[in-house]
Amino acid sequence: AGIADIVREVPGRVPYLEALTILLRADVILMLGSDEAHYTASKLYPALLAERPLLGIFHEGSSVCEVMREVGSGKLVTFNDAEPVDTKIAEITTMLTTLLLHPDAVGPVAQARVAPYLGPAIAKRFADIFNRVVEQRCGYPTI
């Protein structure tokens, strides 16, 4: 494609804290999904919270799309079986170019909207479930 001189591939995994540093220093974060509708990107929340320009390319059935729309940050290109990802090349190119030239084109993450997806809220939901189980099994209320 004539881009070998500007693309660098670094295969392999990096430790979690290094991954966070990479996200924070990125010019643009590009998140690629799968052609499977059930695919969910495990690094979505760290990428959103890095508050860097973000382009997500996901199957429209992925839960990632709902989260990205809900938190109001990043650009999203969706595809499906009728319109596969290779039909979206022009849209992807336009969005990626926009993010590179105008990184402020993406607004900040709506912190109130992302809060339900973060550790404290998730931990509370699990604690509520465990408390209900204890109450039902033991017959006494929990704290």
Side-chain angles (χ1 to χ4, degrees):
I3 60 170
D5 59 328
I6 61 171
V7 173
R8 189 177 111 198
E9 179 181 357
V10 181
R13 295 188 176 266
V14 295
Y16 182 70
L17 292 177
E18 186 176 340
L20 294 178
T21 300
I22 290 168
L23 290 172
L24 290 170
R25 292 182 177 172
D27 292 322
V28 172
I29 299 171
L30 178 62
M31 296 196 67
L32 305 174
S34 165
D35 58 359
E36 300 292 331
H38 67 274
Y39 175 80
T40 299
S42 62
K43 298 294 182 269
L44 173 63
Y45 301 103
L48 287 169
L49 293 172
E51 295 191 342
R52 304 300 305 139
L54 169 65
L55 174 58
I57 304 169
F58 291 94
H59 189 286
E60 69 181 13
S62 172
S63 61
V64 170
C65 300
E66 178 184 344
V67 172
M68 285 187 69
R69 289 180 183 119
E70 177 66 24
V71 302
S73 183
K75 298 289 184 182
L76 181 63
V77 175
T78 63
F79 58 90
N80 56 41
D81 296 336
E83 294 180 287
V85 71
D86 61 348
T87 66
K88 304 291 185 154
I89 293 172
E91 184 179 356
I92 293 167
T93 301
T94 298
M95 287 210 184
L96 191 53
T97 302
T98 299
L99 289 174
L100 285 168
L101 296 176
H102 307 285
D104 57 340
V106 176
V109 171
Q111 294 297 324
R113 289 184 178 169
V114 79
Y117 303 107
L118 299 179
I122 293 169
K124 182 182 182 324
R125 287 197 300 271
F126 276 115
D128 290 344
I129 291 168
F130 296 146
N131 284 339
R132 282 196 307 271
V133 169
V134 168
E135 187 174 335
Q136 289 173 358
R137 298 262 172 132
C138 299
Y140 55 85
T142 57
I143 299 174

